[in-house]
Every structure is written in C-alpha cells, then in structure tokens.
Amino acid sequence: MSALDAKAAALLRWYGEMGVDASVGASPCDLTALPDTRAPASQPTGRPQPSATQAEPARPQPPRETPRPAPTRATAPLPLGGDAAIVDARTVADRAANLMQLRELLQRFDGCALKHTATNLVFADGNPDARIMLVGEAPGADEDRQGLPFVGRSGRLLDRMLAGIGLVRQGVYITNILPWRAPGNRQPTAGEIAVCLPFLERHIVLKAPSLLILCGGTSAKSVLGTTEGITRLRGRWRDHPVPGLATPVPTMAIYHPAYLLRQPAMKRDAWRDLLRIKERLDQQG
C-alpha cells in the first residue's frame, strides 16, 4: 500500500468514527466552480432607463397550475426531554416480562436522541443463562455497525481476559449502559445515561446474574450511584441491591478493555481483578 493509499484509508476510518456512513455523490464537487445563478445587477445610473411609455407591453402569461402539496414523509417522534423521558423509560422497561420483550420495547423507545443517530441497537451478546453479567459503557463504531457489544480491538482483548480465567464469550452475558452509540464516540451525557438506566436495571432483573461485573468508570458510577473514580472502585466486591431482585448481587468494577489498550501498564491490576472473579466463581461452585 502506497503512502497515498494509507492516508486515504486512515481518512475513511476517521469518517466512519465520526458517524459518516454514506456519500452524496460519486465525485467531489468544487462549489467555487459552479455557474453564477444570481440575478443580474441593476443598470448603472449613468445609462438612460426606458420610460414607462416606452416600456414593452406585458406579454400574456400562461395560467399557473395549482401547486401540488409536497409529499409528506414519516418522521421519527421527537425525543422526550428531562424527567419526562426518564419516567417514560421506567414505565416502558417495567412492562418487559423477559429479555426478548425488553429488546423489542427498547427498539421502539424514542425517548433517547442517540437512537436517531445510531446505525443499530446494541442490546446484548453471549449466553442469557450465564452466571456472569458484564456491563460496559457505550457502543463504539464497530459495535454500532455489527449491533453487538464489545467487538473490535476492545472486544478481542476482553475475549483474551476471559480466556485467562477459563471463560469464553458464550459463557458470559454482555451488555452496555447505553444501547446506542454516541456520535463520534463522545462521552455520553448524564441525561442520556439517566434515560437509558431504567432499561439496564430491568435488564439486570430479568437476567438475575450470580455475579455482576461493571467494565469501566462510566458503568461503575452509573450502576452503583457514586462519584468515585474507577481506580478506587475496581477490584472490590460489594453486594449491590437491585430493585426487583430478592437479594443483592455480588458486584465488582474492573477496568474497561479500551482503557487497558491505552494504558497497558494497568493490565497487572486488571489480572488481579480477574483472579478475584475466578475465585468467587469457584466459591459459588
């Protein structure tokens, strides 16, 4: 691959990460080369103007057709805002009696604006009957394209992390705080998290995991309702009460695989956390 091809490939990847997924033409258009369609300027004041008596008689104009009304297009309902969206989300989520119904309800929910900029709903992956439930933060570009959580580089690292303690992807259940990608992979807002949290809480209730693993600071702080950072939260078991479940769920926060790709020196702490998870699994039998 030539240097020019490499630059073009890098530019296309950047466009994809920014949310650009379609072109509007087969070739670029130079707007400066388009013909000038502006109305001609008025004649100079020094030039004689025709008088009203010299003006040509007006030509008869053909009858105008009655303009046809513009065709209407179905548009997505406007997202709700603030507390109304959160109340509506909780009402909708509580109607789900199983995971399939929850997915269908979430697919039809219009209270989060991220739905209208994302390509796919990213609901879950893995085994719904698994003992471990992992909760990430939000889909990235790869997840948005495939409709699955934890794919791409971070997903491959997660697979290796699970393999290190004798687990496979189909032996766990994986989801995210947000089911839709934020444009440009930006950090989700507090409002976006709040409106999606009722669906996650119902997701946990319907899954009823033996162990809940929160991947990353956003996931940990949102689920646990704390402002502490991931470095203080990670590696410690806590019994997390979930409304709708009879008993609290043993819960641990760990570093997100994407963070470990940026900070490989933290993999040692991540390995220690994984060993604690394996030890808890062994204790449960």
Side-chain angles (χ1 to χ4, degrees), residues 218-253:
T218 300
S219 175
K221 288 188 286 187
S222 300
V223 173
L224 299 176
T226 181
T227 58
E228 286 189 281
I230 186 62
T231 55
R232 295 179 61 86
L233 294 172
R234 55 150 288 270
R236 293 187 287 130
W237 286 109
R238 66 201 74 215
D239 291 330
H240 177 59
V242 179
L245 291 179
T247 58
V249 182
T251 302
M252 178 187 287

Side-chain angles (χ1 to χ4, degrees), residues 26-280:
S27 59
C29 177
D30 185 359
L31 298 180
T32 63
L34 294 178
D36 190 354
T37 58
R38 294 175 297 178
S42 59
Q43 296 182 1
T45 55
R47 190 174 175 180
Q49 302 292 326
S51 63
T53 57
Q54 295 174 340
E56 294 183 4
R59 297 179 180 178
Q61 299 294 326
R64 296 183 179 179
E65 296 182 358
T66 303
R68 297 179 181 177
T72 58
R73 294 187 303 171
T75 56
L78 291 176
L80 299 172
D83 294 340
I86 299 172
V87 172
D88 187 61
R90 191 164 300 282
T91 301
V92 172
D94 287 345
R95 294 205 300 263
N98 54 55
L99 294 175
M100 183 177 296
Q101 288 184 8
L102 183 66
R103 182 189 183 103
E104 293 172 353
L105 290 169
L106 191 54
Q107 187 77 61
R108 297 196 299 266
F109 181 68
D110 289 313
C112 181
L114 294 179
K115 174 182 178 179
H116 306 298
T117 58
T119 303
N120 285 302
L121 171 74
V122 180
F123 184 71
D125 192 21
N127 183 3
D129 297 324
R131 297 161 60 191
I132 295 181
M133 181 177 188
L134 288 90
V135 179
E137 298 180 349
D142 293 321
E143 289 80 3
D144 185 44
R145 282 190 291 268
Q146 300 184 38
L148 293 171
F150 282 99
V151 295
R153 292 183 65 206
S154 63
R156 290 191 292 272
L157 178 55
L158 177 63
D159 291 345
R160 293 197 297 270
M161 293 167 64
L162 294 173
I165 56 174
L167 297 174
V168 295
R169 177 178 284 257
Q170 292 305 316
V172 299
Y173 186 75
I174 309 171
T175 188
N176 279 318
I177 291 284
L178 270 68
W180 297 289
R181 180 198 182 204
N185 286 359
R186 64 163 171 76
Q187 185 74 11
T189 67
E192 291 164 349
I193 293 173
V195 80
C196 293
L197 200 56
F199 289 98
L200 175 67
E201 292 172 346
R202 187 62 180 164
H203 208 151
I204 296 172
V205 170
L206 295 173
K207 172 65 186 71
S210 299
L211 299 178
L212 182 63
I213 308 302
L214 308 175
C215 302
T218 300
S219 175
K221 288 188 286 187
S222 300
V223 173
L224 299 176
T226 181
T227 58
E228 286 189 281
I230 186 62
T231 55
R232 295 179 61 86
L233 294 172
R234 55 150 288 270
R236 293 187 287 130
W237 286 109
R238 66 201 74 215
D239 291 330
H240 177 59
V242 179
L245 291 179
T247 58
V249 182
T251 302
M252 178 187 287
I254 65 173
Y255 288 130
H256 195 285
Y259 174 76
L260 296 176
L261 290 171
R262 300 190 301 268
Q263 300 289 340
M266 297 300 180
K267 289 182 178 180
R268 180 173 60 179
D269 290 338
W271 174 242
R272 292 172 179 167
D273 297 342
L274 291 171
L275 292 178
R276 293 187 181 100
I277 296 172
K278 176 175 173 53
E279 181 182 11
R280 191 65 175 257

